[in-house]
């Protein structure tokens, strides 16, 4: 499994309850661009509409060897359909509507069969106070590990 990109801010801004794997419908030149690492999922989110699931605002710029004359209609932030089973989509829809949880992309990766997959997180938005506490705990942990390494040398 080759990780193409991660949503680093998702783990700070959200409390992730559950993770799911999903395929994504891409054009040929988009797949090439994604495999080169030219994808941004920082501001993207996932929405369930009409029994289907879509990722919105995922930015995939045009592959550098693709001529803009061939695809003048290309929109890098278009809505892309995700591939999941219907019962799973229905369950995600219920969870997001009833409990107020949101769906966010956590990472984009290439699986063993060289297919592009997206890891989706069912998450709850954290408050500003909780984020500050997490940052503080990480700093304390980092400083403690530095002190331990320094004392062992």
């Amino acid at each position: 499994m080759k990780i193409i990109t991660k949503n680093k801010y998702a783990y700070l801004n959200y409390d992730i309850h559950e993770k799911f794997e999903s395929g994504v419908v891409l054009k040929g030149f988009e797949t090439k661009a994604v495999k080169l690492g030219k994808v941004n999922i920082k501001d993207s989110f996932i929405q369930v509409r009409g029994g289907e699931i879509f990722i919105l605002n995922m930015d995939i710029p045009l592959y550098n060897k693709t001529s803009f004359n061939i695809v003048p209609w290309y929109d890098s932030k278009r809505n892309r359909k995700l591939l999941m089973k219907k019962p799973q989509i229905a369950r995600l829809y219920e969870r997001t509507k009833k409990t107020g949880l949101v769906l966010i992309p956590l990472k984009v990766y290439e699986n063993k069969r060289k297919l592009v997959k997206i890891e989706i997180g069912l998450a709850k938005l954290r408050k500003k106070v909780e984020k500050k506490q997490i940052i503080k705990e990480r700093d304390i942990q980092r400083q403690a590990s530095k002190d331990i390494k320094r004392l062992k040398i």
Side-chain angles (χ1 to χ4, degrees):
M1 181 173 81
K2 176 188 165 193
I3 296 174
I4 297 167
T5 186
K6 278 184 157 183
N7 191 352
K8 297 175 187 175
Y9 296 101
Y11 292 97
L12 178 65
N13 295 333
Y14 295 94
D15 185 27
I16 288 116
H17 294 284
E18 242 180 295
K19 294 179 183 179
F20 303 95
E21 181 184 63
S22 172
V24 61
V25 177
L26 298 171
K27 307 276 185 210
F29 55 89
E30 287 179 331
T31 305
K32 289 179 182 181
V34 168
K35 287 184 179 183
L36 285 177
K38 298 188 184 298
V39 61
N40 183 10
I41 59 171
K42 182 181 173 187
D43 298 327
S44 60
F45 59 97
I46 296 164
Q47 200 173 49
V48 180
R49 280 188 261 141
E52 295 180 332
I53 188 165
F54 295 92
I55 185 164
L56 306 149
N57 215 20
M58 181 170 75
D59 186 29
I60 302 174
L62 194 62
Y63 180 59
N64 57 1
K65 293 183 181 176
T66 305
S67 172
F68 192 70
N69 296 331
I70 296 171
V71 283
W73 45 264
Y74 183 65
D75 179 20
S76 67
K77 291 190 174 188
R78 70 180 178 88
N79 300 346
R80 292 169 177 89
K81 186 177 178 181
L82 297 179
L83 304 170
M84 294 179 88
K85 295 185 178 181
K86 286 195 184 233
Q88 199 171 23
I89 293 172
R91 197 173 112 227
L92 287 175
Y93 180 74
E94 288 175 18
R95 299 270 313 264
T96 55
K97 290 298 173 192
K98 289 181 181 177
T99 59
L101 299 175
V102 293
L103 294 168
I104 53 167
L106 300 175
K107 66 182 170 184
V108 177
Y109 61 94
E110 196 176 336
N111 69 357
K112 293 176 185 175
R113 293 175 47 202
K114 306 292 183 191
L115 299 173
V116 176
K117 300 285 184 176
I118 295 180
E119 185 175 87
I120 298 170
L122 188 63
K124 181 181 177 187
L125 188 63
R126 283 191 179 137
K127 295 178 183 171
K128 205 170 198 175
V129 177
E130 293 171 344
K131 285 193 261 184
K132 285 182 181 179
Q133 183 65 29
I134 289 169
I135 291 170
K136 191 182 216 182
E137 288 172 4
R138 285 182 187 170
D139 287 342
I140 291 168
Q141 190 76 7
R142 191 177 304 120
Q143 188 62 37
S145 65
K146 281 182 183 179
D147 291 343
I148 290 170
K149 284 182 183 178
R150 188 174 46 119
L151 291 174
K152 286 185 178 180
I153 294 175

